[in-house]
Amino acid sequence: MDIEQLLTTTRSARKSLDLEAHVDPGDIRECLRLGLQAANGSNQQSWRWLVVGDAGLRQKLAVLYRDAYLRRVGGQMLAELIPGHSPEGRLMSSTEWLVENMAKVPLLIIPCYEPHLPRIDGDESFYQATLYGSIFPAVWSFQLALHARGYGTCITTLHLHHEDAVRELLEIPETYRQGCLLPVGRLRAGHTFRPAPRRPLNEVVAVDGWHGAHL
């Protein structure tokens, strides 16, 4: 897979995950090794990646994830209420498939990061940008490495509605923030991704200001 193909076909994998296929720990270690080459704030590398394979822990995380999802959507699954052939219906079906099958995904990975800069008044935007800018480059590199080896994942954040419960379950220190939750498994045999439709550059890029010329 060449670089352009990898960058344009690494998609969020949910239904395309094979829940029965073996996940090689050596592959995961190698993908994490590559992911952790990513840039991070002041090169502090203040991260801890929790790789959750224990079935009991995965089940407990899945229960919290499902509860958070139902709270967000008003208490009931929505996929059957939206036409399945529409883009919204396909997305909802995929999203709710993951809600129902999270415990069956072979690995759940939670990257955590410990902020290292002191807080000052009015720095919330800076603080958040520094925090997530120090973890998500590594997350994306990890996703790329997984895809290149026949694995898939997607970035999920619903578990953060129960951040304290997850912290207690996995014994995460108070000083660390959870970035996301990555359900990881092999892609189903024969499944391939294509580049996704995206808005043209002239609709989303401007030069020298919000109302500037197109690039």
Side-chain angles (χ1 to χ4, degrees):
M1 188 182 300
D2 64 34
I3 295 298
E4 184 168 336
Q5 181 186 9
L6 182 64
L7 291 173
T8 58
T9 63
T10 300
R11 309 253 70 83
S12 292
R14 300 180 186 89
K15 281 186 174 181
S16 54
L17 297 176
D18 187 336
L19 301 180
E20 305 299 327
H22 172 68
V23 171
D24 185 338
D27 287 341
I28 303 305
R29 283 195 299 270
E30 182 65 8
C31 290
L32 285 168
R33 184 187 70 81
L34 293 170
L36 297 183
Q37 286 290 316
N40 60 96
S42 300
N43 196 30
Q44 291 294 303
Q45 304 176 56
S46 300
W47 39 38
R48 184 81 164 178
W49 293 63
L50 304 181
V51 181
V52 182
D54 178 81
L57 291 175
R58 285 186 287 125
Q59 179 62 43
K60 290 176 181 178
L61 288 171
V63 168
L64 294 173
Y65 188 89
R66 178 185 173 87
D67 178 78
Y69 178 77
L70 290 175
R71 289 188 187 189
R72 295 291 298 184
V73 299
Q76 65 174 340
M77 293 294 189
L78 302 178
E80 62 185 30
L81 305 178
I82 302 173
H85 60 275
S86 68
E88 295 81 7
R90 290 194 296 272
L91 176 59
M92 189 60 66
S93 175
S94 177
T95 297
E96 295 193 347
W97 181 91
L98 185 60
V99 172
E100 298 288 14
N101 290 279
M102 182 69 82
K104 300 176 184 177
V105 178
L107 291 179
L108 304 179
I109 297 181
I110 300 178
C112 304
Y113 201 82
E114 185 176 40
H116 62 280
L117 295 175
R119 299 295 303 271
I120 61 174
D121 290 342
D123 75 343
E124 188 62 26
S125 294
F126 169 82
Y127 175 81
Q128 295 293 341
T130 300
L131 171 64
Y132 294 112
S134 293
I135 192 65
F136 277 99
V139 168
W140 179 236
S141 291
F142 176 57
Q143 290 182 281
L144 293 171
L146 285 172
H147 185 200
R149 288 161 178 76
Y151 294 87
T153 187
C154 63
I155 293 173
T156 75
T157 54
L158 281 169
H159 80 289
L160 293 173
H161 285 288
H162 295 296
E163 184 174 12
D164 289 339
V166 175
R167 182 185 305 281
E168 182 177 355
L169 178 66
L170 300 179
E171 301 179 322
I172 301 171
E174 290 286 341
T175 55
Y176 279 78
R177 297 285 296 274
Q178 301 165 51
C180 60
L181 185 154
L182 301 162
V184 175
R186 285 193 181 274
L187 294 171
R188 288 187 285 103
H191 183 87
T192 58
F193 289 111
R194 298 185 300 273
R198 289 291 185 259
R199 294 168 62 187
L201 289 180
N202 62 11
E203 291 185 7
V204 297
V205 178
V207 176
D208 294 336
W210 190 270
H211 300 291
H214 303 318
L215 187 64

